[in-house]
Amino acid sequence: DLVLARVKQDLGEALRALEEPLPILTRALLLKAIGDSKDLRALKALRAALSHEDGAVRTAAAEALGDLGADEAGPALAKAASDPDWRV
């Protein structure tokens, strides 16, 4: 996957991109790739994305946290389980 390869090449750039206004689908795809990178440096950004106004972004963030496979993601995932959007 091209996005994943780019994220693995420069995670910092990917995390900075999340700070910019992005279309919802682009943001969700970027979050997915960040989770697939398995890089624990992304935990803070993924946790923050759980508070995004759009449910699709929160869903992508929760999935990405799960994909990281890190115990540190557990509390954030537990909180996401109570999200009012059933997709999260």
Side-chain angles (χ1 to χ4, degrees):
D1 174 58
L2 184 61
V3 177
L4 177 57
R6 182 70 179 164
V7 166
K8 284 185 173 183
Q9 182 181 8
D10 191 349
L11 179 66
E13 179 183 11
L15 296 176
R16 286 188 298 279
L18 289 176
E19 297 172 5
E20 301 297 325
L22 295 171
I24 297 303
L25 180 58
T26 302
R27 185 173 298 277
L29 290 172
L30 183 56
L31 288 166
K32 172 71 173 137
I34 289 171
D36 287 345
S37 76
K38 309 284 190 214
D39 194 320
L40 298 183
R41 295 176 294 165
L43 273 170
K44 182 179 177 182
L46 294 176
R47 285 184 193 129
L50 288 174
S51 299
H52 194 275
E53 63 188 20
D54 190 276
V57 172
R58 295 193 309 274
T59 299
E63 289 174 356
L65 279 166
D67 290 343
L68 279 181
D71 291 338
E72 297 88 350
L77 288 171
K79 181 181 174 191
S82 65
D83 192 285
D85 188 325
W86 64 269
R87 297 172 295 175
V88 179

